[in-house]
Amino acid sequence: MTTIFEPNLICSEHTIQDPPTPSTSEKAWHSIFASKKFSSLLTMSPTPKEEAKVVHRSPSHVSVNVMQENPPYQIDQTTLIELVKEKKLERLQEFGGVNGVASTFGTDTQVGISGGADDVARLRNTFGSNTYNKPPTKGFFHFVIEALKEPAVMILLGCAALSLGFKIKAHGHKDSWHEVGSNFAAVFLPIVVSAISNYMQNRQFEELSRANNNILVDVVRGGQRQQLPMFDVVVGDIVCLKMGDQVPADGLFLDGHSLQVDESSMTGATEHTEVNSSQNPFLLSWTKVAHGDARMLVTSVGMNTTWGQISRETNEQTPLQARLNKLSSSIAKVGLAVAFPVLVVLLVRYFTGHTKDEKGNREFNRSKTKTSDIINAIVGIATTAITTAAEGLPLVVTLTLAYSKKKMVADQAMVRKLSACETMASTTTICTAKTGTLTLNRMKVTKFWLEYELSGSPTEKAILSWAVVELKMDVEKTKKRCAALQVEAFIPQKRRSGVLIERNDDDTVHVHWKGAAEMILAMSSSYYDASGVVKDLDDGERMKFEEIIQGMAASSLRCIAFAHKQVPEEEYQNLKEQKKLKEDSLTLLGLVGIKDPCRPGVKKAVEDCQYAGVNIKMITGDNVFTAIAIATECGILKPVVEGEEFRNYTSQERMEKVEKIQVMAGFSPFDKLLMVQCLKQKGHVVAVTGDGTDDAPALKEADIGLSTGIQGTEAARESSDIVILDDSFASVATVLRWGRCVYTNIQKFIQFLLTANVATLCINFIAAVSTGEVPLTTVQLFWVNLYMDTLGALALATERPTKELLEKPPVGRTEPLITNIMWRNLLAQALYQIAVLLTLHFNGESIFGVTKKVNHTLIFNTFMLCQVFNKFNARKLEKKNVFNDMHKNKMFIGITGVTIVLQVVMVEFLKRFTDTERLNWGQWGACIAIAAASCPLGWAVKCLPVPKKPIFSYLKWNVAGLDQNS
C-alpha cells in the first residue's frame, strides 16, 4: 500500500509507516510534480478569461493630452444619477452599456483614467467631488446662546439686569457696577465654561467622523492599481471591490465574480442583492459587498449619489448621560422644592420688617421705602433662592468621556460610539475571535508534504509565497496558461473557496478547491500518492489523512487542503447554468499546516479579564483540535463545543449550556450571533470582537461591538462601537479597564457633587427659616458651583485605570448609579459640613470674636475648603488611603493647587466682587483645620459596613433619578 510522501514530517506518528528516504532525483521530481499540481490553484486570479491579457502602457510619445480645457462630456450628471438610482437597464443599453458610459468619460475599462492629474481634476470639476455637504460647523457663540436658553440662567440674568438698573438709579454708576457686575460675571462664567466644553466636544465628534470616513479604496488609474482615500474618487474611476468593502460611490458593474451586495442601509432589504452585467449592473454608494469581488465604474460621487441626500449628522447622547440628565432633573426639582420655601420665608420676613440693612435699620418700612428699593430687594431675594437650586451635573459626562476617549486612542482603541465607554463597565462576557486577535495573523507554513518553511502574512499569501519561493513557480506564466471562468469566494459557513478555470493549451476545464482540511477531505474520493499516481481514497487512507489533520491541529496549526478535478464538457454546461462548482469526487492534492502564533501578552490579558469577573469565550472557525491548542496556549481552555453541535441544541439546551461553554470551534457567523443572543437572554452584557463582513450581525447584536482596525473589513468597523487599532486582545482588556474607569470616575464626581449640594440646600434652608438670611451670597454660590461642576469634574475625570478596578465584579445592568457605599460617604460628609457651618452661622461671631461680615467670610472660606478636601475623599470610594498614587495624577494636583490659589485671591483681593473680608493667619488656619478634618472622618466612615442590597429597594416607592431604572 502506497503512503503519502512525508520526509521528516514532525507528526509522522500519525502515518502507518515512514517511507524510504528518497534519492536526490526523486526529490527533484517530486518538487516539480508538486509545483505543477499546486500552481493551477495557488495563482488563480479572479479575472474573467477576456481580462487575463496583460495591458501594456502606451509609449510616452503617444500619450499626448489633446483634450480641451473643458471637454464636452456626452452624458450629463442628472442622467447619470437617474440611471443608477432608478436602475434603468434599457437606458444603459442606449449608451452602449457600461463600456459606452466609460468611453464618454475618456476611461479605459482596463487602464482606468489614463490622462493623469489634469483629467482627474477636470472630471472632479465637472461632476463634483466625493464629499458630502454637512450642516455648518457650530461656532463657539452657538453654544453660548444654547446655554443662555436655560430658564434658570435667563431668570438670573433678568434679575441681574433689573438690579443693575435700580442700583444705578439709586446710587449712580460708580457705586453700583462692582456689585451688580460681579453678579453678571458669576452668571456668565459658568455659561462660558459650559459653552467651551460643548464646543470642544462638538469638535471631537467632527474629528471622529472624519476619521471614521477616511476609508482607503483600491482604484485603477493609468494602468496601476493603487489605494486612495474614498474622498479622492472621481467619476470615471475604476474601483476594485472585494468582500467586506464599502461601495464608495454610485456606479456600474464592469466585471467580477458572484457579487452580492448588502443594500439594507439604502433600501431596507434584508436579503443580499446580486449584481451582474446582464440583469443588475447598478451599485449604490455606502452599500457593502457581502460576497464575491468586482470592478466598478464610478458614475456619481458625493452629493450626487443616492446616499448624498441622506443626512448623517451625529447627535449622540449616551445612556449614562440620559441617566444623569434624569438625576440632574431630580436634583433640580429638590433644589426648587427647597428654593421655593426659602423665597417665601425671605419675602415674608422682608415685608414684615424682620430683615435689616448693614446699619441695623429695617429694610422695609411701608410708608418710607421706595418702590424701586422694594423691587430691588425682591430681585435680590429671588436671585438668592434660584442660585441655591442651581447645579450642572451633566457637564461631568462630557468632560469625562472626552478625556477618556482621547486617552483610549493612545491605548490603541478608537471609540466610535461614546455609549460603549460606559457599557464596558458592565461587561460580563467577551466573545473573542481567534485569528488576528488572540493570534498575530502572521501565517507561517510549517508543515507540508515537502517540509519547507516560509513566513507570510494572511493564509493565501503565505501559501502563495511558499509556492513561489520554494517551488520556483512563475506566477505570470501560470496566469497566462489559464483563465478563471467562475469563482466561489470564501464563505465562513462552508470554510472553503473554489475556482473554475480553463487551460489555454488544451481548452480543458478544471475545478479547484481549497479550504479547511476536513471539509476538502470530505469532498475527495481519490488522492495523489508520492509517485503522482491517482489512488482511491478508501476508509483506511481517509483515516490516515484524518490523523494527519488532527496531528497538525493539535500542534496549533491551521490545516489547509487542496483538491481538483477535470470537468467534462457536458458537465461544465450544467455547472454553467446552475452557477455552481462541482463539489464531489475530487482528487486530493495536498495538505499544509499553517502556524498563526499567539500574540505576546494575550495570556496575561485573558487572566486580567477573568480576574475582573469577565468570562472569556473564544470563537473560531478552525476545527476543534486547533481551537483547543490555541485556547490552552491563551489560558481559556474549558468546556468546548463545535458549531454544528451548538446549532443543533434545542433552545432550552442552549440556554442551559451557553454560560459554561468557553471554546467554540467550527463556528459560523450565524452560530456566533446565536451565541450572543443566548447570552443576552441570560442577562449578560456581551462584548464581541470581529473582523469580517459576516461578523456584522453579531457586532450589532452585542452590547459592545469591537472591530479590528488592521485586518477588519469596513462592514465590521461600521457595525462596531469601538475599533481596536492594533487588533490585539490585550487592547480589548485595556478597553475593559477604561470602561470601568469612566463609570467609576463619574460615580466619584456624583458623590463629590451631591455632598456639596445636600450641604448647601440644608444650610441655606435652615438659615433662611431661622434668621431670614442665607450665609452664602449669590456670587459665592456661583463660585462653588463653578468649582464643583468644572474643576472638580476635571480633577476626578483624569483618574486613569488602575488594577483595583479589576478587583470588583462587573457593574450589573440594574445596579443603582448611586450605591450604598456612595450614600454612606456623602451623607457623612454632608452632615459634617452642615453641622460645622451652621455652628459658624449661629455662633461664629462669638467663637472668633469677629464681625458679621467676617463671619460670613469664614463660612464661605470653610465651605469652599471643605469641598477641596472632600475631593480627596472622592478619589477612592472604598479604599481608606485616598492619597495612594496621587502623585501619578498631575492634573489632579494642578487643579487642586489652582483652586486654592483662586480661593485666596477671591477672599483677599476681590472682596468688592465676592462680598468678603480679609482673614488673618489664625482665621485661615482655623478654616483649613476644620476642612481638613473631613479626611480622617472619611477614613473612619469607610470602616462602617453597608448592606449589599440597594438602600431604596427597602422602600416600596422609587426615587426618580437615583437608581438604574429611573
Side-chain angles (χ1 to χ4, degrees), residues 129-132 212-217 219 227-234 237 246-249 285-286 301-302 307 312 714:
S129 63
N130 198 26
T131 55
Y132 300 88
N212 288 340
N213 295 330
N214 187 22
I215 302 167
L216 294 177
V217 296
V219 177
Q227 282 198 327
L228 296 176
M230 184 185 73
F231 298 131
D232 289 349
V233 171
V234 298
D237 264 328
Q246 183 171 281
V247 180
S285 61
W286 289 85
V301 293
W307 180 258
R312 294 184 291 137
E714 188 58 34

PDB file of all heavy atoms in Angstrom, residues 129-132 212-217 219 227-234 237 246-249 285-286 301-302 307 312 714:
ATOM      1  N   SER A 129     -16.919  66.466  -6.377  1.00  0.00           N
ATOM      2  CA  SER A 129     -16.005  65.666  -5.561  1.00  0.00           C
ATOM      3  C   SER A 129     -16.809  64.679  -4.721  1.00  0.00           C
ATOM      4  O   SER A 129     -18.010  64.858  -4.496  1.00  0.00           O
ATOM      5  CB  SER A 129     -15.175  66.570  -4.647  1.00  0.00           C
ATOM      6  OG  SER A 129     -16.017  67.262  -3.741  1.00  0.00           O
ATOM      7  N   ASN A 130     -16.130  63.672  -4.232  1.00  0.00           N
ATOM      8  CA  ASN A 130     -16.794  62.617  -3.462  1.00  0.00           C
ATOM      9  C   ASN A 130     -16.866  62.991  -1.983  1.00  0.00           C
ATOM     10  O   ASN A 130     -16.421  62.258  -1.107  1.00  0.00           O
ATOM     11  CB  ASN A 130     -16.051  61.295  -3.633  1.00  0.00           C
ATOM     12  CG  ASN A 130     -16.909  60.110  -3.225  1.00  0.00           C
ATOM     13  OD1 ASN A 130     -18.134  60.187  -3.279  1.00  0.00           O
ATOM     14  ND2 ASN A 130     -16.286  59.029  -2.816  1.00  0.00           N
ATOM     15  N   THR A 131     -17.419  64.156  -1.727  1.00  0.00           N
ATOM     16  CA  THR A 131     -17.624  64.645  -0.364  1.00  0.00           C
ATOM     17  C   THR A 131     -19.087  65.006  -0.183  1.00  0.00           C
ATOM     18  O   THR A 131     -19.826  65.159  -1.142  1.00  0.00           O
ATOM     19  CB  THR A 131     -16.752  65.874  -0.069  1.00  0.00           C
ATOM     20  OG1 THR A 131     -17.010  66.874  -1.070  1.00  0.00           O
ATOM     21  CG2 THR A 131     -15.275  65.506  -0.107  1.00  0.00           C
ATOM     22  N   TYR A 132     -19.481  65.152   1.077  1.00  0.00           N
ATOM     23  CA  TYR A 132     -20.884  65.373   1.396  1.00  0.00           C
ATOM     24  C   TYR A 132     -21.057  66.695   2.131  1.00  0.00           C
ATOM     25  O   TYR A 132     -20.243  67.045   2.991  1.00  0.00           O
ATOM     26  CB  TYR A 132     -21.429  64.224   2.252  1.00  0.00           C
ATOM     27  CG  TYR A 132     -21.341  62.892   1.571  1.00  0.00           C
ATOM     28  CD1 TYR A 132     -20.192  62.110   1.673  1.00  0.00           C
ATOM     29  CD2 TYR A 132     -22.378  62.422   0.783  1.00  0.00           C
ATOM     30  CE1 TYR A 132     -20.088  60.889   1.028  1.00  0.00           C
ATOM     31  CE2 TYR A 132     -22.291  61.205   0.132  1.00  0.00           C
ATOM     32  CZ  TYR A 132     -21.151  60.451   0.263  1.00  0.00           C
ATOM     33  OH  TYR A 132     -21.061  59.252  -0.394  1.00  0.00           O
ATOM     34  N   ASN A 212     -13.581  58.230  10.913  1.00  0.00           N
ATOM     35  CA  ASN A 212     -14.380  57.061  10.551  1.00  0.00           C
ATOM     36  C   ASN A 212     -14.588  56.967   9.053  1.00  0.00           C
ATOM     37  O   ASN A 212     -14.724  55.875   8.491  1.00  0.00           O
ATOM     38  CB  ASN A 212     -15.746  57.114  11.248  1.00  0.00           C
ATOM     39  CG  ASN A 212     -15.643  56.853  12.735  1.00  0.00           C
ATOM     40  OD1 ASN A 212     -14.674  56.282  13.204  1.00  0.00           O
ATOM     41  ND2 ASN A 212     -16.640  57.274  13.480  1.00  0.00           N
ATOM     42  N   ASN A 213     -14.656  58.106   8.370  1.00  0.00           N
ATOM     43  CA  ASN A 213     -14.943  58.107   6.937  1.00  0.00           C
ATOM     44  C   ASN A 213     -13.692  58.132   6.068  1.00  0.00           C
ATOM     45  O   ASN A 213     -13.787  58.169   4.849  1.00  0.00           O
ATOM     46  CB  ASN A 213     -15.821  59.321   6.591  1.00  0.00           C
ATOM     47  CG  ASN A 213     -17.186  59.237   7.250  1.00  0.00           C
ATOM     48  OD1 ASN A 213     -17.695  58.154   7.478  1.00  0.00           O
ATOM     49  ND2 ASN A 213     -17.769  60.377   7.552  1.00  0.00           N
ATOM     50  N   ASN A 214     -12.527  58.129   6.689  1.00  0.00           N
ATOM     51  CA  ASN A 214     -11.276  58.155   5.928  1.00  0.00           C
ATOM     52  C   ASN A 214     -10.943  56.735   5.471  1.00  0.00           C
ATOM     53  O   ASN A 214     -10.023  56.090   5.960  1.00  0.00           O
ATOM     54  CB  ASN A 214     -10.146  58.727   6.783  1.00  0.00           C
ATOM     55  CG  ASN A 214      -8.890  58.932   5.971  1.00  0.00           C
ATOM     56  OD1 ASN A 214      -8.931  59.046   4.756  1.00  0.00           O
ATOM     57  ND2 ASN A 214      -7.759  58.952   6.660  1.00  0.00           N
ATOM     58  N   ILE A 215     -11.712  56.244   4.504  1.00  0.00           N
ATOM     59  CA  ILE A 215     -11.602  54.869   4.041  1.00  0.00           C
ATOM     60  C   ILE A 215     -10.727  54.824   2.791  1.00  0.00           C
ATOM     61  O   ILE A 215     -10.898  55.633   1.886  1.00  0.00           O
ATOM     62  CB  ILE A 215     -13.007  54.310   3.721  1.00  0.00           C
ATOM     63  CG1 ILE A 215     -13.904  54.390   4.970  1.00  0.00           C
ATOM     64  CG2 ILE A 215     -12.918  52.883   3.211  1.00  0.00           C
ATOM     65  CD1 ILE A 215     -15.355  54.171   4.663  1.00  0.00           C
ATOM     66  N   LEU A 216      -9.820  53.868   2.738  1.00  0.00           N
ATOM     67  CA  LEU A 216      -8.983  53.675   1.563  1.00  0.00           C
ATOM     68  C   LEU A 216      -9.652  52.684   0.616  1.00  0.00           C
ATOM     69  O   LEU A 216     -10.154  51.643   1.050  1.00  0.00           O
ATOM     70  CB  LEU A 216      -7.597  53.164   1.966  1.00  0.00           C
ATOM     71  CG  LEU A 216      -6.723  54.123   2.782  1.00  0.00           C
ATOM     72  CD1 LEU A 216      -5.413  53.448   3.160  1.00  0.00           C
ATOM     73  CD2 LEU A 216      -6.453  55.402   2.002  1.00  0.00           C
ATOM     74  N   VAL A 217      -9.661  53.004  -0.667  1.00  0.00           N
ATOM     75  CA  VAL A 217     -10.264  52.132  -1.664  1.00  0.00           C
ATOM     76  C   VAL A 217      -9.229  51.833  -2.745  1.00  0.00           C
ATOM     77  O   VAL A 217      -8.317  52.627  -2.998  1.00  0.00           O
ATOM     78  CB  VAL A 217     -11.527  52.763  -2.295  1.00  0.00           C
ATOM     79  CG1 VAL A 217     -12.608  52.937  -1.260  1.00  0.00           C
ATOM     80  CG2 VAL A 217     -11.201  54.118  -2.931  1.00  0.00           C
ATOM     81  N   VAL A 219      -8.190  51.664  -6.457  1.00  0.00           N
ATOM     82  CA  VAL A 219      -8.578  52.333  -7.701  1.00  0.00           C
ATOM     83  C   VAL A 219      -7.526  52.036  -8.777  1.00  0.00           C
ATOM     84  O   VAL A 219      -6.326  52.011  -8.475  1.00  0.00           O
ATOM     85  CB  VAL A 219      -8.699  53.860  -7.490  1.00  0.00           C
ATOM     86  CG1 VAL A 219      -9.039  54.560  -8.801  1.00  0.00           C
ATOM     87  CG2 VAL A 219      -9.758  54.160  -6.437  1.00  0.00           C
ATOM     88  N   GLN A 227      -4.119  52.501  -3.831  1.00  0.00           N
ATOM     89  CA  GLN A 227      -5.080  52.803  -2.767  1.00  0.00           C
ATOM     90  C   GLN A 227      -5.192  54.310  -2.596  1.00  0.00           C
ATOM     91  O   GLN A 227      -4.184  55.007  -2.452  1.00  0.00           O
ATOM     92  CB  GLN A 227      -4.652  52.157  -1.454  1.00  0.00           C
ATOM     93  CG  GLN A 227      -4.955  50.672  -1.368  1.00  0.00           C
ATOM     94  CD  GLN A 227      -4.923  50.169   0.058  1.00  0.00           C
ATOM     95  OE1 GLN A 227      -4.160  50.638   0.885  1.00  0.00           O
ATOM     96  NE2 GLN A 227      -5.783  49.205   0.366  1.00  0.00           N
ATOM     97  N   LEU A 228      -6.444  54.799  -2.620  1.00  0.00           N
ATOM     98  CA  LEU A 228      -6.705  56.226  -2.463  1.00  0.00           C
ATOM     99  C   LEU A 228      -7.773  56.423  -1.400  1.00  0.00           C
ATOM    100  O   LEU A 228      -8.631  55.561  -1.193  1.00  0.00           O
ATOM    101  CB  LEU A 228      -7.204  56.832  -3.782  1.00  0.00           C
ATOM    102  CG  LEU A 228      -6.235  56.814  -4.981  1.00  0.00           C
ATOM    103  CD1 LEU A 228      -6.961  57.358  -6.210  1.00  0.00           C
ATOM    104  CD2 LEU A 228      -5.007  57.644  -4.684  1.00  0.00           C
ATOM    105  N   PRO A 229      -7.759  57.566  -0.706  1.00  0.00           N
ATOM    106  CA  PRO A 229      -8.867  57.874   0.194  1.00  0.00           C
ATOM    107  C   PRO A 229     -10.178  57.933  -0.585  1.00  0.00           C
ATOM    108  O   PRO A 229     -10.213  58.365  -1.739  1.00  0.00           O
ATOM    109  CB  PRO A 229      -8.495  59.262   0.749  1.00  0.00           C
ATOM    110  CG  PRO A 229      -7.016  59.350   0.577  1.00  0.00           C
ATOM    111  CD  PRO A 229      -6.707  58.590  -0.667  1.00  0.00           C
ATOM    112  N   MET A 230     -11.235  57.487   0.050  1.00  0.00           N
ATOM    113  CA  MET A 230     -12.535  57.442  -0.614  1.00  0.00           C
ATOM    114  C   MET A 230     -12.936  58.798  -1.173  1.00  0.00           C
ATOM    115  O   MET A 230     -13.546  58.898  -2.242  1.00  0.00           O
ATOM    116  CB  MET A 230     -13.599  56.967   0.382  1.00  0.00           C
ATOM    117  CG  MET A 230     -14.983  56.787  -0.217  1.00  0.00           C
ATOM    118  SD  MET A 230     -16.217  56.357   1.022  1.00  0.00           S
ATOM    119  CE  MET A 230     -16.401  57.934   1.858  1.00  0.00           C
ATOM    120  N   PHE A 231     -12.557  59.880  -0.488  1.00  0.00           N
ATOM    121  CA  PHE A 231     -12.970  61.212  -0.918  1.00  0.00           C
ATOM    122  C   PHE A 231     -12.230  61.673  -2.175  1.00  0.00           C
ATOM    123  O   PHE A 231     -12.605  62.668  -2.780  1.00  0.00           O
ATOM    124  CB  PHE A 231     -12.741  62.222   0.220  1.00  0.00           C
ATOM    125  CG  PHE A 231     -13.540  61.909   1.447  1.00  0.00           C
ATOM    126  CD1 PHE A 231     -12.947  61.878   2.697  1.00  0.00           C
ATOM    127  CD2 PHE A 231     -14.898  61.621   1.362  1.00  0.00           C
ATOM    128  CE1 PHE A 231     -13.676  61.585   3.832  1.00  0.00           C
ATOM    129  CE2 PHE A 231     -15.640  61.329   2.493  1.00  0.00           C
ATOM    130  CZ  PHE A 231     -15.027  61.306   3.729  1.00  0.00           C
ATOM    131  N   ASP A 232     -11.176  60.939  -2.591  1.00  0.00           N
ATOM    132  CA  ASP A 232     -10.439  61.307  -3.799  1.00  0.00           C
ATOM    133  C   ASP A 232     -10.980  60.625  -5.050  1.00  0.00           C
ATOM    134  O   ASP A 232     -10.508  60.898  -6.156  1.00  0.00           O
ATOM    135  CB  ASP A 232      -8.953  60.951  -3.641  1.00  0.00           C
ATOM    136  CG  ASP A 232      -8.248  61.870  -2.646  1.00  0.00           C
ATOM    137  OD1 ASP A 232      -8.857  62.889  -2.260  1.00  0.00           O
ATOM    138  OD2 ASP A 232      -7.114  61.576  -2.253  1.00  0.00           O
ATOM    139  N   VAL A 233     -11.927  59.731  -4.886  1.00  0.00           N
ATOM    140  CA  VAL A 233     -12.511  59.035  -6.036  1.00  0.00           C
ATOM    141  C   VAL A 233     -13.321  60.031  -6.871  1.00  0.00           C
ATOM    142  O   VAL A 233     -14.039  60.878  -6.324  1.00  0.00           O
ATOM    143  CB  VAL A 233     -13.407  57.871  -5.567  1.00  0.00           C
ATOM    144  CG1 VAL A 233     -14.190  57.277  -6.729  1.00  0.00           C
ATOM    145  CG2 VAL A 233     -12.560  56.795  -4.896  1.00  0.00           C
ATOM    146  N   VAL A 234     -13.215  59.923  -8.213  1.00  0.00           N
ATOM    147  CA  VAL A 234     -13.954  60.819  -9.111  1.00  0.00           C
ATOM    148  C   VAL A 234     -14.767  59.978 -10.088  1.00  0.00           C
ATOM    149  O   VAL A 234     -14.551  58.779 -10.253  1.00  0.00           O
ATOM    150  CB  VAL A 234     -12.998  61.752  -9.890  1.00  0.00           C
ATOM    151  CG1 VAL A 234     -12.221  62.652  -8.955  1.00  0.00           C
ATOM    152  CG2 VAL A 234     -12.049  60.936 -10.773  1.00  0.00           C
ATOM    153  N   ASP A 237     -13.613  56.793 -12.470  1.00  0.00           N
ATOM    154  CA  ASP A 237     -12.629  55.907 -11.847  1.00  0.00           C
ATOM    155  C   ASP A 237     -13.086  54.453 -11.935  1.00  0.00           C
ATOM    156  O   ASP A 237     -14.285  54.158 -11.912  1.00  0.00           O
ATOM    157  CB  ASP A 237     -12.418  56.279 -10.376  1.00  0.00           C
ATOM    158  CG  ASP A 237     -11.210  57.183 -10.174  1.00  0.00           C
ATOM    159  OD1 ASP A 237     -10.249  57.047 -10.943  1.00  0.00           O
ATOM    160  OD2 ASP A 237     -11.246  58.022  -9.252  1.00  0.00           O
ATOM    161  N   GLN A 246     -16.831  48.679   1.410  1.00  0.00           N
ATOM    162  CA  GLN A 246     -17.957  49.599   1.277  1.00  0.00           C
ATOM    163  C   GLN A 246     -17.883  50.247  -0.100  1.00  0.00           C
ATOM    164  O   GLN A 246     -16.822  50.685  -0.530  1.00  0.00           O
ATOM    165  CB  GLN A 246     -17.874  50.654   2.362  1.00  0.00           C
ATOM    166  CG  GLN A 246     -19.037  51.627   2.369  1.00  0.00           C
ATOM    167  CD  GLN A 246     -18.993  52.497   3.602  1.00  0.00           C
ATOM    168  OE1 GLN A 246     -19.378  52.094   4.684  1.00  0.00           O
ATOM    169  NE2 GLN A 246     -18.490  53.704   3.450  1.00  0.00           N
ATOM    170  N   VAL A 247     -19.015  50.278  -0.801  1.00  0.00           N
ATOM    171  CA  VAL A 247     -19.038  50.888  -2.129  1.00  0.00           C
ATOM    172  C   VAL A 247     -18.892  52.394  -1.948  1.00  0.00           C
ATOM    173  O   VAL A 247     -19.714  53.026  -1.277  1.00  0.00           O
ATOM    174  CB  VAL A 247     -20.350  50.548  -2.868  1.00  0.00           C
ATOM    175  CG1 VAL A 247     -20.361  51.195  -4.253  1.00  0.00           C
ATOM    176  CG2 VAL A 247     -20.512  49.036  -2.994  1.00  0.00           C
ATOM    177  N   PRO A 248     -17.842  53.015  -2.519  1.00  0.00           N
ATOM    178  CA  PRO A 248     -17.541  54.416  -2.209  1.00  0.00           C
ATOM    179  C   PRO A 248     -18.382  55.439  -2.956  1.00  0.00           C
ATOM    180  O   PRO A 248     -18.382  56.611  -2.605  1.00  0.00           O
ATOM    181  CB  PRO A 248     -16.071  54.545  -2.607  1.00  0.00           C
ATOM    182  CG  PRO A 248     -15.905  53.563  -3.713  1.00  0.00           C
ATOM    183  CD  PRO A 248     -16.807  52.416  -3.395  1.00  0.00           C
ATOM    184  N   ALA A 249     -19.089  55.015  -4.010  1.00  0.00           N
ATOM    185  CA  ALA A 249     -19.871  55.958  -4.814  1.00  0.00           C
ATOM    186  C   ALA A 249     -20.878  55.161  -5.632  1.00  0.00           C
ATOM    187  O   ALA A 249     -20.852  53.923  -5.643  1.00  0.00           O
ATOM    188  CB  ALA A 249     -18.949  56.765  -5.732  1.00  0.00           C
ATOM    189  N   SER A 285     -23.877  53.801  -3.545  1.00  0.00           N
ATOM    190  CA  SER A 285     -22.871  54.204  -2.566  1.00  0.00           C
ATOM    191  C   SER A 285     -23.289  53.826  -1.152  1.00  0.00           C
ATOM    192  O   SER A 285     -24.468  53.788  -0.818  1.00  0.00           O
ATOM    193  CB  SER A 285     -22.637  55.717  -2.648  1.00  0.00           C
ATOM    194  OG  SER A 285     -23.839  56.403  -2.365  1.00  0.00           O
ATOM    195  N   TRP A 286     -22.268  53.539  -0.334  1.00  0.00           N
ATOM    196  CA  TRP A 286     -22.415  53.211   1.093  1.00  0.00           C
ATOM    197  C   TRP A 286     -23.129  51.887   1.349  1.00  0.00           C
ATOM    198  O   TRP A 286     -23.502  51.598   2.476  1.00  0.00           O
ATOM    199  CB  TRP A 286     -23.088  54.350   1.871  1.00  0.00           C
ATOM    200  CG  TRP A 286     -22.173  55.522   2.007  1.00  0.00           C
ATOM    201  CD1 TRP A 286     -21.998  56.527   1.089  1.00  0.00           C
ATOM    202  CD2 TRP A 286     -21.275  55.819   3.071  1.00  0.00           C
ATOM    203  NE1 TRP A 286     -21.055  57.421   1.515  1.00  0.00           N
ATOM    204  CE2 TRP A 286     -20.588  57.008   2.733  1.00  0.00           C
ATOM    205  CE3 TRP A 286     -20.977  55.198   4.270  1.00  0.00           C
ATOM    206  CZ2 TRP A 286     -19.642  57.582   3.554  1.00  0.00           C
ATOM    207  CZ3 TRP A 286     -20.029  55.770   5.100  1.00  0.00           C
ATOM    208  CH2 TRP A 286     -19.365  56.951   4.739  1.00  0.00           C
ATOM    209  N   VAL A 301     -20.673  60.837  -7.612  1.00  0.00           N
ATOM    210  CA  VAL A 301     -19.934  60.931  -6.356  1.00  0.00           C
ATOM    211  C   VAL A 301     -20.568  61.983  -5.451  1.00  0.00           C
ATOM    212  O   VAL A 301     -21.325  62.844  -5.900  1.00  0.00           O
ATOM    213  CB  VAL A 301     -18.450  61.303  -6.603  1.00  0.00           C
ATOM    214  CG1 VAL A 301     -17.721  60.187  -7.328  1.00  0.00           C
ATOM    215  CG2 VAL A 301     -18.338  62.603  -7.379  1.00  0.00           C
ATOM    216  N   GLY A 302     -20.246  61.880  -4.170  1.00  0.00           N
ATOM    217  CA  GLY A 302     -20.636  62.904  -3.198  1.00  0.00           C
ATOM    218  C   GLY A 302     -22.131  63.135  -3.123  1.00  0.00           C
ATOM    219  O   GLY A 302     -22.938  62.198  -3.051  1.00  0.00           O
ATOM    220  N   TRP A 307     -26.808  58.139  -1.659  1.00  0.00           N
ATOM    221  CA  TRP A 307     -26.553  58.360  -0.234  1.00  0.00           C
ATOM    222  C   TRP A 307     -26.395  59.844   0.094  1.00  0.00           C
ATOM    223  O   TRP A 307     -26.614  60.268   1.229  1.00  0.00           O
ATOM    224  CB  TRP A 307     -25.288  57.609   0.163  1.00  0.00           C
ATOM    225  CG  TRP A 307     -24.913  57.755   1.614  1.00  0.00           C
ATOM    226  CD1 TRP A 307     -23.957  58.552   2.133  1.00  0.00           C
ATOM    227  CD2 TRP A 307     -25.509  57.088   2.720  1.00  0.00           C
ATOM    228  NE1 TRP A 307     -23.901  58.425   3.491  1.00  0.00           N
ATOM    229  CE2 TRP A 307     -24.847  57.525   3.880  1.00  0.00           C
ATOM    230  CE3 TRP A 307     -26.544  56.155   2.862  1.00  0.00           C
ATOM    231  CZ2 TRP A 307     -25.178  57.066   5.143  1.00  0.00           C
ATOM    232  CZ3 TRP A 307     -26.868  55.689   4.116  1.00  0.00           C
ATOM    233  CH2 TRP A 307     -26.191  56.145   5.243  1.00  0.00           C
ATOM    234  N   ARG A 312     -26.215  62.679   7.732  1.00  0.00           N
ATOM    235  CA  ARG A 312     -25.522  61.781   8.650  1.00  0.00           C
ATOM    236  C   ARG A 312     -24.966  62.539   9.850  1.00  0.00           C
ATOM    237  O   ARG A 312     -23.964  62.184  10.423  1.00  0.00           O
ATOM    238  CB  ARG A 312     -24.386  61.058   7.918  1.00  0.00           C
ATOM    239  CG  ARG A 312     -24.875  60.121   6.861  1.00  0.00           C
ATOM    240  CD  ARG A 312     -23.727  59.362   6.250  1.00  0.00           C
ATOM    241  NE  ARG A 312     -22.875  60.225   5.460  1.00  0.00           N
ATOM    242  CZ  ARG A 312     -21.550  60.179   5.489  1.00  0.00           C
ATOM    243  NH1 ARG A 312     -20.935  59.343   6.271  1.00  0.00           N
ATOM    244  NH2 ARG A 312     -20.830  60.983   4.739  1.00  0.00           N
ATOM    245  N   GLU A 714     -14.474  46.995   6.322  1.00  0.00           N
ATOM    246  CA  GLU A 714     -15.228  48.223   6.577  1.00  0.00           C
ATOM    247  C   GLU A 714     -16.608  47.910   7.133  1.00  0.00           C
ATOM    248  O   GLU A 714     -17.137  48.635   7.966  1.00  0.00           O
ATOM    249  CB  GLU A 714     -15.336  49.031   5.281  1.00  0.00           C
ATOM    250  CG  GLU A 714     -15.940  50.409   5.472  1.00  0.00           C
ATOM    251  CD  GLU A 714     -15.163  51.243   6.469  1.00  0.00           C
ATOM    252  OE1 GLU A 714     -13.927  51.113   6.546  1.00  0.00           O
ATOM    253  OE2 GLU A 714     -15.793  52.034   7.197  1.00  0.00           O
TER     254      GLU A 714
END
